Amino acid sequence: MLPFTQEQFLAVFVSYNRAIWPVQFGMYQLGGLAVALLFWKPKGADRVIAGILAAMWLWTGIAYHALFFSAINKAAYLFAALFVIQGGYLIYAGVYRGRIQFGVRSGSASWVGIALIAYAAIVYPIVSIARGHPYPAMPVFGVTPCPVTIFTFGLLLLAAPPLSRWLLVIPFVWSLIGGSAAILLNVPQDWLLLASGFVTIPLIMAENRRRA
């Protein structure tokens, strides 16, 4: 049993989206830049992509979880800490150390990655609207946990192996938490989140073994 209702859950998105506008628009632009850099690879592109992912995780952890979601669920402070840790590790591994190299390759991992990216940015809001949850009563790409996690899985599937397993731990944990809550709250646009972790982890592990 969750400590809040669906109505309270959606009300948080209304107040959050209204308070942070136009950050949503900026995050869509950053997401588009990250996708563009997958195909157009200037010097430093991988660090920029990792930095964009880190910004999404840090913003969502602090602004959404800590400042807004905590009003209806005190566990949000723990979630905020996890998101900040993930953002910090993306900065360390991807921006500072340059250990994550992104790019579109052949193979099932890349195709699934592209599909998850498209779902997070395009299909997700369409499903939200179709289910009667139009803006501002909807999770928005780049600034809310579930779209950010799906988008992250998509980009990590496009990262060259070997990829650190530590980059996958917190997104997978959130896929279980957020995906399970989505079923209880009847939020169908987040149902894919629950499946995305179980699809992404084996594909990346297989790529790592193949590279080894």
Side-chain angles (χ1 to χ4, degrees):
M1 177 67 79
L2 297 172
F4 51 87
T5 65
Q6 185 193 60
E7 290 73 21
Q8 290 174 309
F9 181 64
L10 296 176
V12 169
F13 289 116
V14 173
S15 58
Y16 174 63
N17 282 321
R18 287 175 175 168
I20 69 169
W21 175 260
V23 174
Q24 301 93 325
F25 181 68
M27 285 298 190
Y28 256 106
Q29 289 185 311
L30 288 177
L33 175 60
V35 173
L37 290 174
L38 291 171
F39 299 91
W40 172 57
K41 295 295 294 291
K43 184 177 180 180
D46 296 319
R47 283 183 162 88
V48 173
I49 296 172
I52 289 170
L53 277 181
M56 291 181 175
W57 280 85
L58 291 170
W59 176 275
T60 302
I62 297 168
Y64 174 75
H65 278 307
L67 299 182
F68 282 84
F69 189 43
S70 59
I72 63 171
N73 186 5
K74 296 309 178 186
Y77 292 115
L78 172 60
F79 304 152
L82 292 176
F83 271 64
V84 169
I85 290 169
Q86 179 71 14
Y89 190 61
L90 282 164
I91 291 174
Y92 172 76
V95 180
Y96 176 66
R97 300 300 297 271
R99 290 179 175 175
I100 313 174
Q101 285 79 46
F102 299 92
V104 178
R105 307 178 306 281
S106 61
S108 57
S110 284
W111 285 111
V112 174
I114 291 170
L116 290 178
I117 290 170
Y119 182 85
I122 301 170
V123 180
Y124 189 101
I126 294 174
V127 176
S128 294
I129 294 168
R131 292 292 296 181
H133 303 146
Y135 183 88
M138 63 186 292
V140 177
F141 173 83
V143 295
T144 53
C146 297
V148 166
T149 303
I150 296 171
F151 184 65
T152 300
F153 277 141
L155 282 176
L156 292 181
L157 281 165
L158 294 169
L163 186 69
S164 171
R165 297 179 182 181
W166 292 110
L167 283 168
L168 302 171
V169 173
I170 291 175
F172 181 69
V173 169
W174 184 256
S175 74
L176 298 178
I177 296 172
S180 301
I183 294 174
L184 295 173
L185 292 167
N186 192 27
V187 183
Q189 62 267 35
D190 286 338
W191 293 349
L192 181 66
L193 174 66
L194 185 59
S196 64
F198 289 103
V199 172
T200 299
I201 302 301
L203 284 172
I204 290 178
M205 292 300 100
E207 291 289 319
N208 283 354
R209 287 194 297 270
R210 192 174 296 116
R211 174 64 180 267

